[in-house]
Amino acid sequence: MTATGTARASLNPAAAAVDAAAAAIRARIVGEVPRVAIVLGSGLGFITERIEDPVRLRYPEIPGFPQPTVPGHGGELVIGRLAGRRVVAQSGRFHMYEGHDAATSVLAVRAFGALGIGTLLLTNAAGGVRRTLQPGALMLIADHINLTGRNPLIGEVLPGEERFPDMSDPYDRELREIAREVARERRVALAEGVYVGLLGPSYETPAEVRMLERLGADAVGMSTVMEVIAARARGMRCLGISTVTNLACGIGAQPLSHAEVMDVANAVRGELAALVEGIVARLP
Ligand code: HPA
């Protein structure tokens, strides 16, 4: 980097925050930096229990990382081996509905990118919009619609990021093929569809769900889209899997609750773990 570039980066608070978080994480990595990061959604933090030789970094140890406020979201990075590969898993996201701005919501992803991690595997809990997606279904994210009205790239361009990133392959084609193969081999039913990201935290109204259906959404949630945008701006390859925890409002007869979301996420643990581990083992 040129002297001017360095000076500019250190003046940019967003870039300085990424550097500080990345340095704190790097300091706790023994040996090589993992090539894969896994972001765990609501109720999916159990995957960290399957990581061998774990090094746990609680969020207060990482500058700029807020403490998660949502039940079901931990608050730690776990570095270790999963399915024989070195990984870093993020248990506890920073959602914009918690009051975080878009930049904070992607701080972990940017830090992973700054560390040289090239692949991001994202999981989330989502409501099923497509009628055939019943609670407990797993959906490979083929594409997304960002309806949050926010974008984490607004503002000065951070070092290593593009001003106008291409979004034609947000969820990597090759990685999706691997995911489908693993699902076939392990006999895990895996749907595929479009995830729409909203701000939340209120669930959608029935009229909003009808609108989303017409827009081409298969599942709806309150995360993931910011992270994928930030990752693509750094050239990281992304793969996303939604656990459909409920029928979106108006499709099912019952009111929605976070407890229901957590219960269903819990019930499909085994299948999701098999899928994630199979994919991690095969990642290029
Ligand atoms: N809507 C939005 N986000 C969600 C849902 C939902 O129905 N279920 C889990 N996360």
Side-chain angles (χ1 to χ4, degrees), residues 125-127 203-204 220-222 245-246 248 256 261:
Y203 290 119
E204 302 69 40
V220 56
M222 307 173 191
T245 52
N246 55 276
L256 289 188
V261 167

Side-chain angles (χ1 to χ4, degrees), residues 198-277:
L198 302 183
L199 266 185
S202 47
Y203 290 119
E204 302 69 40
T205 65
E208 286 165 348
V209 172
R210 286 195 298 276
M211 173 192 78
L212 298 177
E213 205 174 4
R214 284 177 201 168
L215 291 179
D218 296 299
V220 56
M222 307 173 191
S223 67
T224 306
V225 296
M226 294 296 112
E227 291 146 320
V228 169
I229 291 169
R232 293 305 298 143
R234 286 175 183 261
M236 298 165 77
R237 300 169 83 185
C238 301
L239 183 70
I241 301 170
S242 292
T243 297
V244 176
T245 52
N246 55 276
L247 301 173
C249 263
I251 294 181
Q254 287 171 2
L256 289 188
S257 73
H258 185 62
E260 174 192 357
V261 167
M262 300 284 293
D263 284 349
V264 177
N266 215 13
V268 293
R269 271 171 173 237
E271 289 195 348
L272 186 70
L275 197 56
V276 168
E277 288 177 24

Side-chain angles (χ1 to χ4, degrees), residues 16 24 33 72 110 112-113 115 137 147 163 167 180 190-191 193 202-203 215 218 279-281:
V33 173
R110 281 176 157 157
F112 298 150
L115 287 168
L147 282 191
R163 172 75 300 176
M167 289 297 285
R180 288 187 213 106
L190 184 63
S202 47
Y203 290 119
L215 291 179
D218 296 299
I279 293 168
V280 166

Side-chain angles (χ1 to χ4, degrees), residues 36-83:
V36 184
I38 308 172
V39 182
L40 300 169
S42 288
L44 305 174
F46 68 89
I47 290 198
T48 61
E49 293 158 22
R50 304 174 72 104
I51 294 180
E52 295 170 59
D53 303 327
V55 171
R56 296 178 182 276
L57 261 103
R58 304 292 307 171
Y59 286 176
E61 301 174 61
I62 309 172
F65 272 40
Q67 196 54 36
T69 61
V70 193
H73 279 268
E76 60 178 4
L77 297 186
V78 183
I79 304 156
R81 255 176 315 107
L82 185 69

Side-chain angles (χ1 to χ4, degrees), residues 177-197:
E177 188 48 46
I178 291 172
R180 288 187 213 106
E181 270 171 32
V182 170
R184 266 195 302 273
E185 283 170 19
R186 305 206 170 199
R187 299 183 194 285
V188 172
L190 184 63
E192 188 159 349
V194 173
Y195 174 91
V196 60

